[in-house]
Amino acid sequence: MNDVKAAATSPRTGRRTIRKRGKQIKQLPWGQPVNPHKRLELLSADAIEAIHMNSLRILEEIGVAFHLPAAVDLFAEVGAVIGDDGINVRFGRDIVEQALSTVARASRLTPRNAGHAVDIDTEKLAFATVLGPPNCHDIERGRRPGTIADFADFVRLGQFFNIIHMIAGSPVEPMDVPVEIRHLVSTKVMLELSDKVPYVFCHSPQRIHDVLDMIAISRGIERDDLIESPSTYAIINTNSPLQYDAPMAAGLIELARYNQTPLITPFSLAGATMPVSLAGAVSLSNAEMLAGLVLTQLANPGAPVVTGAKTLNVDMKTGAPAFGSAEANQSLQIGAQLARRYGLPYRASNFTSSNAVDAQAAYESQAQLWAGVLAGANVIMHAAGWLEGGLCSSFDKFILDVEILQMMASYLQPVEVSDETLAFDEVVSVGRGGHYFGTDHTIASFESAFYLPLISNTKNYGQWAEEGSLDATQRAHALCRRALDEYQKPALEPDRQEALDAFVARRTEEGGAPIDW
């Protein structure tokens, strides 16, 4: 019966496809990995404290520019020194310490399917899809500008694979949708095709409110109800050095007021927007993060924050960001130590500068993931699909990254040591020169004893050649197509679908929301 072939309609293309019943992709069950291991300490406690104190000195003596009057007003109310330009804000360690005493150090994000709620804290990990590239690629169709159809396929993959916990706002930018309504169209697709934690872009208060309204509609609640039951998250990038533009500052305020989770990540490039020395770069990045954290607590004491204070470096030959460099991994681990100094969850990424799904992409991604996990990162952004330094999303790499993430989750599973697992009686029964293939213990657990790879190949050369001599990228591409065919759209209650349709139609008729201020 398992070998009977069945016709199915692909939700991606509408084409009829043939697949074998009982041959669905086997993957790890849904769940957030927990990191049980001691965190790596790259620097001494004294060195971390020196970086922290330098960050405080930067805030007190130099300050940070906030290009949003409402943000400056909040700082002025607590006694910060406002510069003659009306935007530069300087404040002392007392204001920082007060903010650190109120900030929430954990949050639970609940999407429309409460079974896919995600805990953001200092013990668990959460993996999010790639976010933001304007282009996408696969080995069948090549490199191209992203469309809403490509966007939808990435959302389907994020929904399909259990190791992905959160959908990032634009796994690829839908360049065929006008900017004024892009947030409406893409959020609607995201909420319809996935019931995992969604994302909100902080481009303007109106766009934030639109997305919060849509998320609330998908859950059958009102926007203000999200304050008590958060649903979403966003990356807040500073304009390094030492600036928050109006959209990012407004984003921090609005997220805080609605109790949603910001990942404050200075756009820090050692040698370009930061000092070339890692200590100087990380301390400046950390100062920018602390300034944003303070703003959230001025807007709403007790609002959550995830820190991403660290730095990349630039390639001194080209000036391009060196995603995946050894120094980036060092700074990532220093940033994690600072996060523990503050008791905050920490954001890392799965970066690579490679322009192809090749060995460079693999070793840089592996190094980034290991560096983050060993350091104690809690949210891994761009966990699946990032390529070209963020200029391209790759369908094929998405699948290879899923393999890496599943392997990491399996690695983090505790090793059980007990009378049963020590298996002394089994060793006695097999004796010298025997084998364990047929023992009761092996037979009882052979399907679950070890991680079952999605892509990795252990077949001998002859078997591999008979099956087409496919390399890992080709195998990933084939699995991507299978996953899209096996994807099932999660049900959305008819009244919520109707309300979502009506909201998007109304806001589109009103002209959407331009990004410019």
Side-chain angles (χ1 to χ4, degrees), residues 85-277:
D85 58 6
I87 60 173
N88 194 64
V89 177
R90 293 190 292 113
F91 50 93
R93 64 197 62 191
D94 55 332
I95 293 177
V96 176
E97 292 301 326
Q98 175 61 28
L100 287 172
S101 74
T102 61
V103 63
R105 289 166 167 79
S107 58
R108 168 165 284 198
L109 304 181
T110 303
R112 65 182 181 89
N113 176 1
H116 281 158
V118 171
D119 292 319
I120 307 295
D121 58 33
T122 58
E123 298 299 321
K124 294 180 181 177
L125 281 90
F127 300 132
T129 64
V130 61
L131 165 65
N135 303 296
C136 62
H137 176 272
D138 63 73
I139 59 176
E140 181 180 357
R141 292 175 290 173
R143 188 180 189 272
R144 58 198 183 277
T147 66
I148 194 63
D150 294 313
F151 175 99
D153 274 352
F154 276 113
V155 173
R156 291 184 178 100
L157 292 175
Q159 174 70 17
F160 179 84
F161 286 104
N162 295 325
I163 198 64
I164 301 298
H165 306 104
M166 305 193 295
I167 307 297
S170 278
V172 67
E173 275 291 312
M175 305 296 283
D176 56 341
V177 180
V179 171
E180 292 80 5
I181 62 169
R182 188 177 296 172
H183 67 296
L184 299 170
V185 174
S186 60
T187 300
K188 183 172 182 287
V189 170
M190 179 169 53
L191 293 173
E192 289 174 340
L193 299 183
S194 175
D195 60 10
K196 294 182 179 180
V197 170
Y199 184 93
V200 54
F201 275 110
C202 292
H203 290 148
S204 71
Q206 180 60 65
R207 295 168 78 89
I208 295 171
H209 294 168
D210 282 344
V211 174
L212 293 182
D213 282 336
M214 294 172 72
I215 291 171
I217 289 169
S218 76
R219 293 186 58 189
I221 60 178
E222 299 296 325
R223 188 204 304 173
D224 285 349
D225 295 329
L226 295 174
I227 297 172
E228 297 300 322
S229 182
S231 280
T232 190
Y233 68 111
I235 293 175
I236 298 293
N237 290 135
T238 58
N239 294 92
S240 303
L242 297 174
Q243 296 188 97
Y244 279 83
D245 63 20
M248 294 294 96
L252 281 174
I253 293 172
E254 294 303 316
L255 290 172
R257 288 175 174 168
Y258 284 96
N259 216 26
Q260 309 305 301
T261 300
L263 281 53
I264 305 179
T265 310
F267 190 65
S268 175
L269 295 173
T273 65
M274 299 277 158
V276 73
S277 60

Side-chain angles (χ1 to χ4, degrees), residues 423-440 442:
F424 181 82
D425 291 339
E426 187 181 14
V427 175
V428 171
S429 67
V430 171
R432 299 178 181 85
H435 66 79
Y436 291 81
F437 283 116
T439 66
D440 291 342
T442 299

Side-chain angles (χ1 to χ4, degrees), residues 312-313 321-329 349-354 360 363-365 367-368 386:
L312 300 170
N313 62 285
F323 294 101
S325 72
E327 291 78 12
N329 294 336
S349 299
N350 178 0
F351 283 150
T352 178
S353 294
S354 180
Q360 179 185 342
Y363 63 68
E364 288 181 346
S365 289
Q368 281 267 293
W386 172 284

Side-chain angles (χ1 to χ4, degrees), residues 1-8 17-23:
M1 185 66 177
N2 286 344
D3 290 332
V4 176
K5 292 184 179 179
T17 61
I18 301 295
R19 64 172 180 265
K20 294 183 179 180
R21 292 196 186 111
K23 298 295 185 181

